Amino acid sequence: MGKNYLLGVSLCLIAVLSWGAMFPIMGPALKIMDPFNFTLFRYGIVAVIFAIILFLKEGPRAFLPEKHFLKLWFLGTSAFAGFSFLVFLGQKLAGSSGALIASVMMAVQPLLGVIVGWIYRGTKPGKFVFMSMLVAAVGVFLVVTKGDPANLLGGQNTLLATILILLGALCWVIYTTGGADFKEWSILRYSTLTTIYGVISVSLILTLAISLGWLEAPTVIQVQEVSGALVYMITLAGVLAVFAWNLGNRLIGALNGILFMNLVPVTAFVITIWRGYQITSYEVVGCLLTISALVANNLYNRYKLK
């Protein structure tokens, strides 16, 4: 049991450190290729990898959606089109601070999950959870504004970028919440089918956007220039992180696993500072407030379960 728990902790660490690093890594790539085409390359390859593994492990029948076609399509589109389009577009619009804003929003996802659970399953959160959400909101506000509310309406489309990232994070929460309806399925099957349907939606959206002249197809040179980021996003932040996270949470429990989300903004902060970004004290305080809110909410839930 001790070995399994240690393995679970290690797997969760691998996942969140991979996710924390993806935002600084995506920064330079988003200056070369738009987030929409990047998403198609990334998840298109991930879908192929998942499909091969599922076919070898569970056979061709595992690809049948049964009665869940529309739900799988909606959840896959929410995660792999909604999340990637909105979060990385928001990061691109926010400029140099986009990686920090996006990573902090990822840490707030468990609290966003409370709202989704309230709407989707009718589970009303308690007063302490509301307080945690308020503290987290203050922390996010400090990171986004750097202590000056005027930054929301000026500079690099900060307000629009923040809204897009928040909606993107919400899309991933919806995907995660919806996954609870597929307990009889393996994690691999759910991940594979939703990824495939999500990629189909991404392809249809891109085809429409390119045909209307809203987007341009990427050039071979652009693909080559973002190849390093693509490899990272497909392998470490994609296939490896998803499997590590899902398996790790099964071994140590979701309540323990969710605490590791705190390391997403921490990792992003360290890498961003290492790359030369001048972080402000307001951003540090904001990050700490957000993490504290998440930890406090987690401890409160543990107390209630005793």
Side-chain angles (χ1 to χ4, degrees):
M1 190 67 179
K3 290 182 178 179
N4 285 339
Y5 191 87
L6 182 60
L7 175 61
V9 169
S10 301
L11 289 171
C12 286
L13 274 173
I14 290 171
V16 296
L17 292 176
S18 298
W19 287 333
M22 75 177 179
F23 297 108
I25 287 173
M26 278 297 293
L30 290 173
K31 296 178 181 178
I32 301 169
M33 183 183 292
D34 65 83
F36 310 105
N37 281 298
F38 191 97
T39 295
L40 179 60
F41 278 99
R42 177 193 180 188
Y43 283 119
I45 297 173
V46 169
V48 171
I49 295 172
F50 276 159
I52 293 172
I53 298 173
L54 180 64
F55 182 83
L56 294 175
K57 188 172 182 181
E58 300 186 27
R61 290 188 60 83
F63 289 88
L64 297 176
E66 298 174 0
K67 301 177 181 178
H68 309 294
F69 175 75
L70 290 178
K71 181 178 285 188
L72 288 167
W73 192 299
F74 170 75
L75 293 172
T77 302
S78 177
F80 303 108
F83 173 80
S84 290
F85 283 2
L86 295 170
V87 168
F88 292 121
L89 177 59
Q91 180 181 341
K92 182 176 183 177
L93 290 175
S96 59
S97 60
L100 301 184
I101 296 173
S103 63
V104 169
M105 288 296 190
M106 297 307 103
V108 194
Q109 281 185 334
L111 297 178
L112 290 176
V114 172
I115 299 176
V116 173
W118 186 10
I119 297 172
Y120 186 65
R121 306 190 190 282
T123 309
K124 185 178 181 180
K127 294 181 180 179
F128 189 87
V129 177
F130 275 115
M131 288 299 298
S132 299
M133 293 171 66
L134 180 61
V135 173
V138 172
V140 171
F141 180 79
L142 289 174
V143 172
V144 171
T145 64
K146 302 179 180 64
D148 184 1
N151 286 331
L152 279 177
L153 302 176
Q156 299 169 304
N157 302 306
T158 307
L159 180 58
L160 175 59
T162 303
I163 293 173
L164 290 174
I165 294 171
L166 180 62
L167 291 175
L170 187 60
C171 284
W172 190 263
V173 170
I174 291 171
Y175 171 70
T176 304
T177 303
D181 295 335
F182 295 85
K183 293 180 180 178
E184 73 279 7
W185 285 18
S186 67
I187 292 172
L188 175 61
R189 186 182 183 188
Y190 176 70
S191 300
T192 301
L193 265 64
T194 50
T195 304
I196 290 173
Y197 294 146
V199 169
I200 293 173
S201 292
V202 170
S203 301
L204 292 174
I205 294 169
L206 280 180
T207 300
L208 178 62
I210 292 173
S211 65
L212 293 174
W214 297 344
L215 284 176
E216 294 182 359
T219 64
V220 175
I221 294 176
Q222 285 178 312
V223 176
Q224 291 174 342
E225 289 179 342
V226 300
S227 59
L230 269 173
V231 169
Y232 181 87
M233 296 295 283
I234 291 166
T235 56
L236 293 178
V239 176
L240 178 62
V242 170
F243 276 120
W245 177 254
N246 289 332
L247 180 56
N249 273 267
R250 279 194 176 181
L251 293 174
I252 67 175
L255 201 57
N256 292 316
I258 206 67
L259 276 174
F260 286 89
M261 289 301 292
N262 293 313
L263 292 176
V264 172
V266 172
T267 305
F269 267 57
V270 171
I271 295 175
T272 304
I273 293 170
W274 177 68
R275 286 188 163 188
Y277 179 80
Q278 298 297 316
I279 195 168
T280 67
S281 58
Y282 290 103
E283 289 172 305
V284 174
V285 172
C287 183
L288 291 175
L289 278 176
T290 304
I291 291 174
S292 298
L294 182 58
V295 172
N297 184 64
N298 183 278
L299 294 175
Y300 175 73
N301 287 330
R302 290 172 186 270
Y303 175 77
K304 283 182 63 178
L305 292 174
K306 286 183 178 180

